[in-house]
Amino acid sequence: MIVILLGSPGSGKGTQSKRLADAYGFKHLSTGDLFRAEIAEKTELGVKVQDYLKAGKLVPDAIVVELVAGKVMAGGKYILDGFPRTVDQATALDGILKGMGTSVTQVVYLTLPKDEAIRRMSSRRVCSGCGEVYNTISRPTQVEGVCDKCSSKVLQREDDTEATAAKRLMVFEDLTHPLVSYYKGESLLTEVDAARTPEAVEAALRAVIDEARAAR
Ligand code: AMP
């Protein structure tokens, strides 16, 4: 079963992917997380992609597709978070999955107004140790700048500053939003209103996934 979470930056794809991975046993595949780990480890790939992430630009399709192709295994249950982000990535994914005798099961588009996305991104903080995600408005740490779980430093992502967040939203509109039509055309898309509490969004997502599972 392959579920894609589509949505602008700040729409909660990462948070919801983690919740669904826990609830259903999906493997959570976040291309953004994979790139950040490569950058932190200063690998060859990390060095190649770091300027794209810093500037809020998309990493070239060929690099992303190669990364994902090496991670998806036949018969696995995946939740894809932040991939595909262009129509070319989506067609490449279709090809990869076809080669494994499978296909995308369900795509959920998490909808969120732009001003709310900017607000969420600029108030997001991430633990440098364990990756736990906080929000200075809705979910602050108990001690400022210190992770509740592992006591490491909690930081703002370099691309969550207001200017880069705005740039990422433009990139989303230009290059990723066309995937809404792409997957509607394949009758795979359901929209979920992401401007609600994480619990309400999770409940809506679970209903979509349960229906997709029942239909298989
Ligand atoms: P995210 O954590 O999903 O917001 O991704 C952070 C950054 O990683 C993006 O702004 C891009 O620079 C890069 N990135 C992540 N996924 C992709 C993708 N599928 N295609 C191109 N670039 C990506």
Side-chain angles (χ1 to χ4, degrees):
M1 183 170 196
I2 314 275
V3 176
I4 295 173
L5 285 196
L6 193 62
S8 74
S11 59
K13 299 186 298 294
T15 300
Q16 294 299 334
S17 295
K18 281 182 198 134
R19 288 172 175 243
L20 296 173
D22 286 348
Y24 292 93
F26 288 114
K27 269 215 167 87
H28 174 199
L29 199 61
S30 157
T31 40
D33 284 351
L34 291 171
F35 286 137
R36 279 184 289 276
E38 297 281 340
I39 292 168
E41 287 165 26
K42 298 186 168 58
T43 64
E44 197 180 322
L45 175 61
V47 171
K48 218 190 272 182
V49 302
Q50 63 190 4
D51 289 347
Y52 293 102
L53 274 88
K54 197 169 177 185
K57 291 182 184 167
L58 291 191
V59 171
D61 289 338
I63 297 178
V64 191
V65 168
E66 191 185 334
L67 177 73
V68 172
K71 299 276 174 197
V72 178
M73 301 297 153
K77 283 168 70 177
Y78 293 94
I79 184 138
L80 302 185
D81 159 11
F83 179 88
R85 254 177 159 104
T86 64
V87 171
D88 281 351
Q89 289 180 19
T91 52
L93 175 65
D94 288 345
I96 292 166
L97 295 178
K98 200 170 173 191
M100 295 174 177
T102 184
S103 60
V104 173
T105 316
Q106 183 69 45
V107 183
V108 184
Y109 175 30
L110 292 171
T111 62
L112 191 70
K114 268 189 195 163
D115 52 350
E116 176 62 10
I118 294 267
R119 200 182 68 88
R120 286 190 188 179
M121 277 187 273
S122 48
S123 53
R124 172 162 56 190
R125 298 291 181 273
V126 185
C127 175
S128 56
C130 68
E132 187 70 13
V133 179
Y134 296 92
N135 186 290
T136 55
I137 301 163
S138 58
R139 193 184 169 225
T141 51
Q142 281 164 13
V143 177
E144 205 187 320
V146 179
C147 179
D148 295 349
K149 295 205 163 160
C150 76
S151 302
S152 299
K153 259 194 194 164
V154 170
L155 304 169
Q156 182 171 42
R157 258 171 62 171
E158 230 177 349
D159 59 351
D160 272 346
T161 54
E162 207 159 322
T164 311
K167 161 91 185 151
R168 287 161 66 208
L169 282 175
M170 277 167 50
V171 168
F172 173 78
E173 278 307 320
D174 287 351
L175 299 174
T176 308
H177 195 267
L179 289 177
V180 171
S181 304
Y182 180 86
Y183 286 120
K184 260 189 192 160
E186 309 269 306
S187 302
L188 287 172
L189 192 98
T190 305
E191 291 194 7
V192 164
D193 174 9
R196 297 180 285 172
T197 62
E199 290 68 34
V201 176
E202 183 187 347
L205 284 168
R206 280 180 180 239
V208 173
I209 290 172
D210 289 343
E211 200 176 310
R213 291 208 308 179
R216 293 176 84 210

